[in-house]
Amino acid sequence: MIMSEEHYLELCENPVQFENASSVNNVFFDEANKQVFAVRSGGATGVVVKGPDDKNSIAFRMDDKGEVKCIKFSFGNKILAVQRTPKSVDFINFMPDLPHTEYCQECKTKNASVLGFCWTSWNEIVFITDQGIEFYQVLTDKRCLKLLKSQSINVNWYMYCPETAVILLSTTVQGNVLQPFAFRSGTMSKMSKFEIELPVVPKPAKLSLSERDIAMATIYGQLYVMYLKHHSRSANSPGAEVVLYHLPREGPCKKTHVLKLNMTGKFALNVVDNLVVVHHQSSQTSIIFDIKLKNPDGALNIHQPVLPARSIHPYKIPLTGPAAVASQPPIRCELCILLYSSTWSVFQPDIIISASEGYLWYLQVKLQPAVNLLQEKGKLMDFLLRRRDCKMVILSVCSQMLNGGEKGNLPVVATVFDKLNQVYKEYLEAEQSYTFAVESGPSRGSAAQKRPVRTQAVIDQSDMYTHVLSAFTERKDASHKFIIAVLMEYIRSLNQYQITVQHYLYELVIKTLVHHNLFYMLHQFLQYHVLSDSKPLACLLLSLESTYPPAHQLSLDMLKRLSTANDEIVEVLLSKQQVLGALRFIRSVGGHDNISARKFLDAARQTKDQMLFYTIFRFFEQRNQRLRGSPNFTPGEHCEEHISYFKQVFGEQAFMKPVTV
C-alpha cells in the first residue's frame, strides 16, 4: 500500500469547472488560450467558454448552421473562429464597435478538406488542410481574410505548440515524416523536416505513425517532439519508451533522449516543471523523467524514471447534499474522482480534462515526497535545484542531512554544499555582468541585457544561516567536532567558488568554538587566516576578552591587518587605558596630525597617572608648535579644562614656551 505522502503528483486545488458532457452536445478545448468551450445545439447554438484566468464564463449564442467541429478564440478573445464544414471556417468579431455578423473563409485549395485551424496571433490564423497549409490575416473592419502565404503538402494530421507557434504536419503514407512550420509576426518559415523511427514489425505488417503517440512541448526552454514508441508484443520485447527529438528553429532535428518506461499498454504524456510525466492507464500510476539528469557519455541519453511509479494523489470534489431536516444546513460530502479514467483527455503541457465530470485540472509536482523516494543526496539536489518551488524543500533536506538520525557524512555534505554554491555563484556572476552592462551603457549592435531572475534555486548564505546552520549549531545531540567540520565545509565551498564569506558565518564558527571551549582551535583558525579579517569579527573577538584574554591582542592584530580600521584600533586602546600605545599606533600609520587632542587628554586624565597626562599634554603642545608655530591650544579644540588641570598640577612655568625661528 502506498502512503499518501508518497504521491508526488497532484491535481490543482482550484480546477476550471464547466458543463459536463452529459448536459451539452460537444466539449472543445483550445490549447492556446487554455479555454473549454461547452456547445449546446437546438434552434440556436449556445456556447459557454471558461478558462483558468476567467473569473466569469463567456456565454453567447450563434445561429445554428450545422454541427460545430472546432471552435476557438484568437488571443484576447477578440475574434471567434468556428468550423462547421470541411471546406470553410466562419468568423465573428468580439471587439467593441464592430458588428457581430458572421463572415466566412473557404480554403483556397480545390478539393481540399480543412483538418483544423490554429491562431498564431490575435488576427493571424492558419488553416491546415489535407493538401497543405494556408496562412491568413483577418481584416476585422472589412470582415474578410487576406492570404499571406500557403504551402502545398500532403497532410495526414497536424499538431500545434502555442508556446513556440510551431505547427507539425504528418506526411507520407506511414505518416512518420514530419514537417514543421514556424510562425512569427506575419511570417511563415519552413523548418527542417525529419523522420520518426518506427518499431520494426514482422512482414508483411506495416506500422503508421498515429497522432496519439506524438506530443510537442517546451522542456528547459527547448522545443521537443515526444514520440511514444510501442514495441511488438512478444515475450522478450522491451517495454515502451518515449523518444525525444530536439526541434531547433534552425538546423536539423535530432533524436536526443530515450525515456525507458519498462511497461507496456496505454500511456499519456504531460510536461510539468520541465519534467516529462508519463501516465500508465492499466496500472493507474505515473512516472517522471528529468532529461537534465543525464549520462555524460554519448550523444544520445537513455533515462530511467527519476522516482518509482506512483499514482496521482486522490482528488475529492466537495458536494452539497439535501438537508435531513429543513431547518438544518445542507449536508457536505465528497465525491472521489476516478483517476486515470478512459474518459480523461491529456493536453500539453500540464492539463488533464474530464469531460464527463466537467473539470479541467493543472497537474502539479509535489517535491517533498521526492525527498523520501530519492535517497542519493547528490542526485536529489540536482533534481530539486531545477524545480520551480524548491527553496524550502532544499533547506529542509539540508537540515535533515545534518540532524538526528540522518546525520550525513562529510563527503555527502560537501557535495550538497558545492551543488548549492555553484548555482549561487552562477547567479552572482549573472547579476554582476548585468550591473556592468547597465553602468557601461548600451553598446552598438547588442541587444539590451535582461536582469537575471533570482529563482528559488539560489540558496544564499543568509538562507543557509537562518534556516540550517544557526539551528544546527545549537543541537545538543551533535558532536562539536561534526558541527565545526560542517561549518568549515560550507566556508570551504564558498571559497572554492570565490564567493565572499559573510562575517556572520565566521561569527557562528567563533561562537561555536567558544561555547565548546575550543580556544586553541580558534587561535589556530585566526593565526592561519582560516577566518577572514573583518571589523565585525574583530569586535566579536574584543567582546570575548573576559572569557579568553588573548582575544584582545588577536582583535588588534586583525584590525591592523585591515588597514582601514585605524579609528577602531585607537578607540579599543583608549578604552583599555593604553593611551601611549594608541598614540604610538596612530603615529606609526601617519595619522597623528589629525587626531583629537581632547580625546587623548580625556583618556590620560581617566588613568589618574599624572606623568602620563604630562607626556600626552606635551606631545600635543609640540604638535601645535610644529603645525601652527605656537604651542597653545585653539578654542576650537575645547581643551580649556585640561589646560587648567595642567596648570594646577605642574604650574604655569611647565607650559611650553613658543619657539621663534
Side-chain angles (χ1 to χ4, degrees):
M1 183 178 176
I2 297 171
M3 294 186 295
S4 62
E5 58 265 26
E6 289 194 352
H7 296 285
Y8 50 78
L9 291 168
E10 64 180 357
L11 303 175
C12 65
E13 290 183 1
N14 300 307
V16 176
Q17 289 183 259
F18 56 91
E19 292 185 81
N20 60 40
S22 62
S23 61
V24 296
N25 297 89
N26 269 313
V27 175
F28 299 93
F29 178 65
D30 174 15
E31 290 185 67
N33 290 315
K34 307 289 187 286
Q35 291 174 322
V36 179
F37 289 76
V39 180
R40 182 187 286 108
S41 300
T45 303
V47 182
V48 178
V49 187
K50 193 73 182 290
D53 300 323
D54 301 330
K55 293 181 180 178
N56 301 307
S57 301
I58 302 171
F60 56 90
R61 290 185 174 276
M62 305 182 297
D63 293 336
D64 194 345
K65 297 180 179 179
E67 182 187 352
V68 175
K69 299 181 182 297
C70 185
I71 182 168
K72 298 175 187 176
F73 270 118
S74 71
F75 301 147
N77 300 336
K78 294 186 176 180
I79 310 167
L80 181 72
V82 186
Q83 184 189 352
R84 298 182 175 98
T85 74
K87 297 293 181 184
S88 64
V89 178
D90 298 323
F91 295 86
I92 305 173
N93 294 332
F94 269 73
M95 291 179 289
D97 306 324
L98 288 174
H100 285 214
T101 313
E102 287 191 23
Y103 48 103
C104 180
Q105 177 65 50
E106 291 192 359
C107 61
K108 298 287 186 183
T109 311
K110 287 186 177 180
N111 303 319
S113 295
V114 178
L115 302 177
F117 59 85
C118 302
W119 288 102
T120 59
S121 77
W122 79 268
N123 68 338
E124 291 171 355
I125 192 169
V126 183
F127 289 7
I128 302 95
T129 74
D130 55 0
Q131 296 182 34
I133 55 175
E134 300 172 6
F135 185 33
Y136 292 96
Q137 182 182 34
V138 182
L139 306 175
T140 53
D141 52 342
K142 297 180 180 179
R143 295 188 15 253
C144 65
L145 276 71
K146 174 186 174 184
L147 182 66
L148 299 175
K149 198 169 183 181
S150 63
Q151 177 82 40
S152 295
I153 183 172
N154 289 329
V155 180
N156 303 308
W157 49 264
Y158 75 96
M159 193 158 287
Y160 181 50
C161 177
E163 192 177 351
T164 55
V166 171
I167 292 178
L168 197 63
L169 305 180
S170 162
T171 68
T172 70
V173 176
Q174 287 185 283
N176 64 324
V177 175
L178 302 180
Q179 175 63 65
F181 288 87
F183 298 84
R184 182 182 292 165
S185 57
T187 62
M188 180 177 86
S189 308
K190 190 176 183 180
M191 300 166 68
S192 301
K193 69 179 178 181
F194 61 100
E195 185 174 342
I196 298 286
E197 297 174 21
L198 297 175
V200 177
V201 292
K203 292 182 180 179
K206 280 190 177 181
L207 282 179
S208 61
L209 183 64
S210 166
E211 61 187 303
R212 290 192 304 271
D213 295 330
I214 293 290
M216 294 170 72
T218 301
I219 308 171
Y220 290 115
Q222 300 295 316
L223 179 60
Y224 287 90
V225 174
M226 301 184 288
Y227 166 46
L228 188 52
K229 188 175 185 179
H230 301 273
H231 293 277
S232 59
R233 293 172 180 263
S234 62
N236 59 350
S237 71
E241 55 193 30
V242 177
V243 184
L244 266 60
Y245 292 81
H246 178 223
L247 187 56
R249 281 270 173 181
E250 297 178 0
C253 178
K254 292 181 180 178
K255 182 168 125 178
T256 53
H257 301 273
V258 175
L259 316 181
K260 293 288 187 180
L261 306 186
N262 307 314
M263 296 182 284
T264 58
K266 288 185 177 180
F267 299 92
L269 302 175
N270 276 129
V271 173
V272 184
D273 203 1
N274 292 312
L275 296 169
V276 179
V277 182
V278 184
H279 308 290
H280 186 227
Q281 190 178 30
S282 59
S283 67
Q284 297 191 359
T285 59
S286 302
I287 49 179
I288 60 175
F289 295 86
D290 186 347
I291 63 172
K292 281 283 181 81
L293 294 177
K294 58 187 180 182
N295 304 315
D297 303 326
L300 185 67
N301 289 284
I302 297 174
H303 303 264
Q304 294 293 335
V306 177
L307 303 173
R310 293 289 185 268
S311 65
I312 297 170
H313 194 283
Y315 189 88
K316 295 178 180 179
I317 299 173
L319 298 174
T320 303
V325 181
S327 60
Q328 292 181 347
I331 299 169
R332 294 192 63 80
C333 54
E334 293 178 329
L335 172 66
C336 195
I337 285 290
L338 177 64
L339 301 177
Y340 302 91
S341 166
S342 58
T343 62
W344 276 19
S345 299
V346 173
F347 295 92
Q348 299 311 315
D350 54 358
I351 287 172
I352 295 174
I353 291 179
S354 173
S356 60
E357 304 289 349
Y359 280 89
L360 178 153
W361 293 280
Y362 282 100
L363 187 65
Q364 298 172 337
V365 174
K366 295 195 298 180
L367 296 181
Q368 194 58 52
V371 174
N372 304 322
L373 295 170
L374 197 55
Q375 295 299 319
E376 206 271 287
K377 289 293 187 287
K379 189 175 181 182
L380 174 62
M381 278 298 151
D382 288 337
F383 174 78
L384 292 176
L385 282 166
R386 297 189 182 101
R387 306 287 74 83
R388 195 181 299 116
D389 301 317
C390 63
K391 175 167 284 189
M392 296 315 296
V393 178
I394 288 174
L395 293 169
S396 168
V397 169
C398 291
S399 294
Q400 290 174 17
M401 178 178 66
L402 300 177
N403 296 339
E406 294 187 39
K407 190 183 294 180
N409 56 41
L410 273 179
V412 173
V413 172
T415 299
V416 169
F417 286 164
D418 285 347
K419 288 181 182 295
L420 297 181
N421 288 328
Q422 182 178 357
V423 176
Y424 181 22
K425 176 64 173 178
E426 287 168 0
Y427 170 75
L428 291 175
E429 287 180 338
E431 185 72 31
Q432 188 176 18
S433 174
Y434 170 78
T435 303
F436 178 77
V438 170
E439 290 173 351
S440 303
S443 57
R444 185 176 297 174
S446 66
Q449 192 166 349
K450 290 184 179 179
R451 179 162 202 152
V453 177
R454 180 173 181 141
T455 67
Q456 287 207 15
V458 179
I459 310 292
D460 63 19
Q461 297 173 66
S462 174
D463 296 323
M464 285 297 291
Y465 176 85
T466 304
H467 298 283
V468 181
L469 299 176
S470 184
F472 171 60
T473 57
E474 294 173 5
R475 288 190 68 89
K476 306 290 189 230
D477 55 350
S479 72
H480 64 266
K481 288 183 179 179
F482 184 63
I483 291 173
I484 297 298
V486 166
L487 294 176
M488 297 314 299
E489 197 58 56
Y490 185 62
I491 289 171
R492 173 211 58 80
S493 180
L494 292 169
N495 286 326
Q496 179 178 314
Y497 287 97
Q498 298 178 317
I499 300 170
T500 303
V501 182
Q502 296 297 316
H503 65 83
Y504 48 75
L505 289 175
Y506 289 136
E507 289 176 14
L508 192 60
V509 173
I510 291 175
K511 287 176 180 177
T512 305
L513 291 169
V514 170
H515 179 72
H516 294 283
N517 295 317
L518 300 172
F519 296 112
Y520 68 95
M521 192 179 287
L522 170 61
H523 209 112
Q524 285 185 318
F525 281 178
L526 293 166
Q527 187 177 354
Y528 295 106
H529 308 295
V530 175
L531 307 177
S532 297
D533 296 342
S534 71
K535 289 181 184 179
L537 210 58
C539 292
L540 176 63
L541 287 171
L542 277 175
S543 69
L544 298 174
E545 185 184 6
S546 59
T547 309
Y548 182 55
H552 171 70
Q553 190 57 47
L554 290 169
S555 170
L556 281 181
D557 293 343
M558 182 178 289
L559 289 169
K560 287 176 184 175
R561 288 194 298 271
L562 286 169
S563 74
T564 58
N566 296 338
D567 292 342
E568 286 85 351
I569 293 174
V570 169
E571 293 294 341
V572 169
L573 291 171
L574 291 179
S575 69
K576 297 292 180 182
Q577 296 191 340
Q578 297 178 22
V579 186
L580 280 178
L583 199 54
R584 290 192 196 102
F585 169 75
I586 205 68
R587 288 188 70 180
S588 71
V589 296
H592 53 291
D593 286 348
N594 301 315
I595 57 174
S596 164
R598 180 179 176 179
K599 177 186 290 187
F600 277 77
L601 292 170
D602 282 344
R605 281 277 297 276
Q606 288 172 8
T607 64
K608 297 184 171 52
D609 183 337
Q610 292 181 348
M611 289 313 298
L612 173 64
F613 180 80
Y614 181 89
T615 304
I616 299 299
F617 193 92
R618 180 67 76 210
F619 168 83
F620 283 106
E621 280 187 318
Q622 291 170 347
R623 185 187 74 167
N624 295 342
Q625 176 69 43
R626 178 167 51 83
L627 295 178
R628 298 195 293 267
S630 168
N632 299 330
F633 292 89
T634 63
E637 292 180 279
H638 306 292
C639 293
E640 293 80 3
E641 178 188 346
H642 298 301
I643 295 170
S644 299
Y645 177 75
F646 185 88
K647 182 178 178 181
Q648 177 188 334
V649 175
F650 302 105
E652 191 164 344
Q653 70 281 2
F655 286 115
M656 182 177 168
K657 303 296 186 288
V659 178
T660 55
V661 180

